[in-house]
Amino acid sequence: MLHADAPGPYGHLGHLGVTPTAHGGRLRVYSRHATRMELCLFDPDDPNWVTEAVEMRPNRHHVWSAEHPDLRVGARYSIRVDGPDGPTHAFDPHRHLIDPYARGLARTSSGEWRSYVQNDDFDWGGVPKPGIPLDHTVIYEAHVKGLTKLNPAMPEELRGTYAGLAHPTTIAYLKDLGVTTVQLLPVHQSISEQRLIKQSLTNYWGYNTLNFFTPHAAYATRHAQFGGTGAVLREFKGMVRLLHEAGLEVVLDVVYNHTAEEGLDGPTSSLRGIDNASYYRHTADGEYIDTTGCGNTVDFSRPAAQRLVLDSLRYWANEVQVDGFRFDLMATLGRDRHAQYDPSHPLLQAILDDPALQGVKMIAEPWDVGLGGWQVGNFPAGYSEWNDGFRDRARNFWLTDAAAGRHAGSAPEGIGSLARRMTGSAHVFAAERGPLASINFITAHDGFTLADLTAYDYKHNLGNGESNRDGTDNNRSYSFGVEGPTDDQRVVADRRKAMRNLMGTLLLSAGIPMITAGDEWGRTQRGNNNAYCHDSELTWHSWDRAGWQEDLQRVTARLLALRRANPALRPVRYGKWGETVPSATQMDWYNKEGRSMTMLDWDSPSERTLQYLAASTPEFEEFNRVLLIVHGLEESVEVTLPSHVGVTGYTLLWDSSHDDISGIEPSHVPGERLRVGPASMLLFRAHGGPAAGPGSGGPGVESPADGDG
């Protein structure tokens, strides 16, 4: 088991959890305020029968330990902890608690949890991690169960499981689509909140973590669930190995900011009973300081909580071989002892500096719900961040601006703010971080799906049991005139083109794109924008798809192929005016007449047409140049293709006005006038070599300032 000492002030917290010894095993648990702690061992056949209680002893660093010859693989155990009374304490010497470092968990018939010593043996067969460079990375955010639960092409017992995710049909689908990195919604063992259980609902997404080291057992096959010690973990590792063999990465969505113990009246299962005062944020009178909206907040100003996260990351990255982590509500992990966010927080820096985590992808959800919680662009270099500004601008441009144009006669703004987002959000991320600091997305697990963005003006969450109060009201969506399903062919056509435009904006922009699983074929949740509590066909993926859904899937695969083939679309660095920066993209901007953009062209709501030439500055790949036309008005426009030094012609690669461009003339020349359809995007390959000398700029250099933070 991996318990290497972490850098910084954590050495005295090394080797927590169970470590095998020559004479059984040793358990070490941190509690600063406990006055007594004991290790309880259970009968192998009855997890309610304590066969032995072993007194644990503390050292001067408040680490309690005990050894026992029966603390071996398969042993079930718990911790019982006593301590002082007081508003910040929750000790109960009779309660059986989970070891925070437990590698395995089992539930009793009465609903309690027992830790067990995991069998972590596994033959990786020499399969390495794929090591996909960030500029080639395309993230596919998926739910382990939902992705394959309804897939008829695999045996029923594998559907909705780790094994199902690694089934040849799933891997073939992901490879054919062209994504590189599967980002899994939480797979740490989780439970449903007490409120949901009372409503006969479930926390399907899994953002309610019970333990940071144990894979969620319900996602394993029944064979693994009843296969003895280590079987679930072996299935998980087998999934990782098979995905790696196929060249696909695995990133885990990890929830360290809070735990399943909820508020003070929630279930006490581990950290609260071990040392509530040390692990959670609270006021002097014992009330929790909640920056997560989930009842409690882990206090990462304290070394024990920091060390817990580092050890969990090391375990999954090394022993389980995952490729990266997406940190839920990561602003919480950067809050100091005053609960204020600090970009130089020791935990944020320790994650980046840890030798055992080098080369691992680190992705921040850069906000939480506390005061000062929105921190987009304010994480240290080394993290990529979810860019909600990209999401909002793309939705505005193609959806709410279209609604405003129809209802008010004009869109509220020009094309400048979208251009800045598409070329890397240089006004958000520091120059040394570059465009790969931005995780671009249109949708995510929470919120409308891509199809629902174009079909609903309002959320429809009555099935969530909260009278439609939950979920955001700020969807930036547009139904194109009819709420929900319709047979109106004009509305249907507008919706499908809007989906193509949104997907094109995502996949042709600088930064790291993230596709929400199912968006590539138009998955709907029937207007529910917060479907976290539905483990049903509402959230599972249908594999029985209509013709238009297959068309959208082919468009997505085509866009991903174009992204791979054109390095000008995926710069590593920001360009600089008058300089040639390796692995940046040189930009030249033109209006619909093929002339240099003016401020009116950037800002005017009536001039929402942009052409930009993007030329790579080769470092590892061949020179490449493309022309992208973005037209954001609902009437067609005549565009003059730009004349540029070194450009001899243009070949049409994609046009969002059509599902298929095979019947359209592809070859064009500079200065040619071209009719561009309403509200559409076109991508061309620009032929000819690079012009002599440095280019005109890079992402964000030539585009106008906008006021969107």
Side-chain angles (χ1 to χ4, degrees):
M1 295 184 180
L2 180 68
H3 290 296
D5 286 342
Y10 307 113
H12 61 280
L13 294 171
H15 305 283
L16 296 177
V18 173
T19 304
T21 68
H23 306 288
R26 178 188 302 113
L27 173 65
R28 284 165 51 89
V29 178
Y30 173 84
S31 177
R32 182 180 183 85
H33 297 98
T35 58
R36 184 172 182 269
M37 188 179 299
E38 61 182 3
L39 160 67
C40 296
L41 293 165
F42 294 88
D43 183 88
D45 299 317
D46 185 354
N48 294 302
W49 177 17
V50 176
T51 57
E52 194 159 0
V54 183
E55 196 80 14
M56 300 177 68
R57 302 295 182 189
N59 64 18
R60 62 190 181 90
H61 298 295
H62 313 289
V63 174
W64 298 69
S65 63
E67 296 187 27
H68 197 277
D70 292 340
L71 198 59
R72 301 177 181 273
V73 168
R76 301 183 188 186
Y77 68 99
S78 73
I79 307 160
R80 289 194 293 211
V81 186
D82 199 4
D85 294 327
T88 63
H89 298 304
F91 294 108
D92 180 348
H94 305 291
R95 180 179 283 121
H96 292 283
L97 301 170
I98 297 169
D99 170 13
Y101 280 74
R103 302 296 195 259
L105 292 175
R107 202 159 197 180
T108 71
S109 58
S110 61
E112 291 187 87
W113 292 88
R114 301 288 182 255
S115 308
Y116 67 82
V117 182
Q118 183 69 275
N119 179 353
D120 54 10
D121 292 340
F122 188 77
D123 181 7
W124 288 99
V127 177
K129 294 184 179 183
I132 307 293
L134 283 176
D135 59 312
H136 288 262
T137 298
V138 178
I139 297 171
Y140 189 75
E141 187 197 42
H143 190 285
V144 170
K145 181 176 182 178
L147 184 61
T148 66
K149 178 63 177 175
L150 299 178
N151 186 354
M154 68 177 64
E156 185 172 0
E157 63 268 21
L158 301 185
R159 298 173 193 168
T161 69
Y162 301 125
L165 185 60
H167 189 268
T169 60
T170 311
I171 289 175
Y173 177 82
L174 296 171
K175 295 291 287 184
D176 289 345
L177 184 61
V179 298
T180 68
T181 304
V182 182
Q183 181 174 296
L184 299 177
L185 268 66
V187 296
H188 291 169
Q189 181 65 56
S190 64
I191 58 175
S192 294
E193 293 87 344
Q194 301 301 297
R195 174 184 59 81
L196 291 179
I197 293 171
K198 291 176 182 177
Q199 294 177 295
S200 298
L201 295 171
T202 184
N203 189 324
Y204 169 69
W205 287 348
Y207 289 88
N208 200 46
T209 307
L210 186 68
N211 173 269
F212 298 140
F213 292 85
T214 309
H216 191 69
Y219 297 157
T221 59
R222 285 185 60 82
H223 177 76
Q225 290 184 48
F226 295 97
T229 305
V232 171
L233 180 60
R234 283 193 296 275
E235 183 174 313
F236 190 99
K237 289 179 176 179
M239 173 195 73
V240 174
R241 183 179 65 187
L242 288 170
L243 290 169
H244 283 178
E245 285 180 348
L248 294 165
E249 293 182 316
V250 180
V251 168
L252 303 186
D253 193 332
V254 286
V255 187
Y256 295 119
N257 57 79
H258 75 281
T259 74
E261 291 184 303
E262 302 185 44
L264 290 173
D265 57 349
T268 296
S269 56
S270 186
L271 297 181
R272 180 185 290 135
I274 292 170
D275 195 346
N276 183 54
S278 291
Y279 282 106
Y280 293 116
R281 291 192 183 275
H282 45 70
T283 63
D285 61 3
E287 292 296 317
Y288 279 154
I289 299 172
D290 184 6
T291 66
T292 68
C294 300
N296 66 63
T297 300
V298 178
D299 186 354
F300 292 109
S301 70
R302 299 179 181 271
Q306 297 171 19
R307 179 67 195 245
L308 179 61
V309 169
L310 287 168
D311 280 342
S312 174
L313 295 174
R314 288 170 163 215
Y315 173 73
W316 291 97
N318 293 286
E319 292 201 23
V320 192
Q321 288 287 289
V322 303
D323 304 275
F325 303 94
R326 178 267 185 189
F327 295 86
D328 181 65
L329 299 181
M330 199 179 192
T332 290
L333 276 66
R335 289 186 179 270
D336 62 19
R337 64 190 183 93
H338 303 293
Q340 295 179 338
Y341 176 77
D342 177 6
S344 61
H345 190 286
L347 177 57
L348 300 185
Q349 201 57 53
I351 291 171
L352 298 176
D353 294 343
D354 194 327
L357 297 174
Q358 297 310 296
V360 176
K361 289 180 167 71
M362 301 296 180
I363 300 169
E365 183 182 36
W367 52 74
D368 61 20
V369 302
L371 187 65
W374 189 82
Q375 295 293 334
V376 179
N378 201 23
F379 273 73
Y383 291 101
S384 297
E385 303 177 32
W386 276 27
N387 187 347
D388 60 339
F390 180 96
R391 174 199 65 195
D392 294 347
R393 286 298 180 264
R395 291 187 184 188
N396 284 355
F397 190 83
W398 297 114
L399 299 174
T400 59
D401 286 2
R406 292 187 181 187
H407 300 148
S410 175
E413 64 177 339
I415 201 170
S417 61
L418 179 70
R420 176 155 284 194
R421 295 293 181 176
M422 290 188 68
T423 53
S425 297
H427 61 305
V428 176
F429 300 102
E432 63 271 17
R433 298 182 67 189
L436 298 179
S438 178
I439 302 292
N440 298 334
F441 65 108
I442 304 295
T443 69
H445 58 276
D446 53 345
F448 279 151
T449 66
L450 182 67
D452 287 354
L453 278 176
T454 71
Y456 295 92
D457 293 324
Y458 312 101
K459 66 187 181 185
H460 295 262
N461 296 357
L462 285 174
N464 296 359
E466 297 185 53
S467 302
N468 212 40
R469 293 188 301 269
D470 65 303
T472 183
D473 293 310
N474 185 25
N475 295 294
R476 301 172 191 256
S477 61
Y478 181 39
S479 69
F480 290 90
V482 180
E483 187 78 0
T486 181
D487 294 325
D488 186 315
Q489 290 307 299
R490 179 176 177 180
V491 172
V492 168
D494 286 344
R495 289 176 177 179
R496 292 176 186 173
K497 185 173 65 173
M499 282 187 266
R500 294 194 295 271
N501 282 329
L502 288 164
M503 192 64 78
T505 302
L506 174 64
L507 298 182
L508 301 180
S509 293
I512 302 171
M514 182 186 79
I515 300 171
T516 303
D519 277 355
E520 74 274 15
W521 53 266
R523 184 177 75 92
T524 180
Q525 290 178 168
R526 300 196 290 273
N528 191 318
N529 74 354
N530 192 33
Y532 74 103
C533 55
H534 295 279
D535 186 359
S536 68
E537 293 192 15
L538 179 71
T539 50
W540 303 339
H541 292 221
S542 172
W543 289 74
D544 181 16
R545 296 164 189 169
W548 73 267
Q549 293 176 310
E550 294 176 351
D551 290 339
L552 181 59
Q553 184 176 317
R554 281 191 290 269
V555 166
T556 305
R558 172 64 175 162
L559 287 166
L560 285 168
L562 292 172
R563 184 179 183 86
R564 287 194 301 275
N566 292 281
L569 294 171
R570 40 183 175 80
V572 174
R573 301 179 181 93
Y574 293 131
K576 295 180 181 179
W577 175 261
E579 297 182 22
T580 299
V581 178
S583 293
T585 298
Q586 297 172 351
M587 296 288 183
D588 291 278
W589 309 88
Y590 300 94
N591 62 15
K592 63 188 178 186
E593 286 87 17
R595 302 189 184 96
S596 294
M597 293 283 284
T598 67
M599 290 309 296
L600 179 64
D601 295 323
W602 288 119
D603 298 337
S604 173
S606 63
E607 296 292 336
R608 287 163 57 90
T609 305
L610 165 71
Q611 303 184 79
Y612 66 88
L613 274 171
S616 67
T617 50
E619 189 175 13
F620 305 108
E621 299 180 77
E622 295 296 319
F623 173 77
N624 170 246
R625 181 156 46 201
V626 296
L627 172 68
L628 184 65
I629 299 176
V630 182
H631 174 54
L633 297 174
E634 288 203 292
E635 57 267 359
S636 62
V637 65
E638 188 175 79
V639 168
T640 301
L641 298 178
S643 298
H644 184 83
V645 176
V647 176
T648 59
Y650 299 102
T651 298
L652 180 66
L653 302 175
W654 181 68
D655 183 345
S656 70
S657 296
H658 308 279
D659 283 316
D660 183 358
I661 66 167
S662 58
I664 301 173
E665 172 58 46
S667 298
H668 303 276
V669 296
E672 180 180 343
R673 293 182 178 180
L674 187 68
R675 178 60 57 177
V676 172
S680 58
M681 303 177 69
L682 291 82
L683 180 69
F684 299 82
R685 175 78 47 74
H687 301 289
S696 63
V701 173
E702 289 288 276
S703 57
D706 61 35
D708 61 78

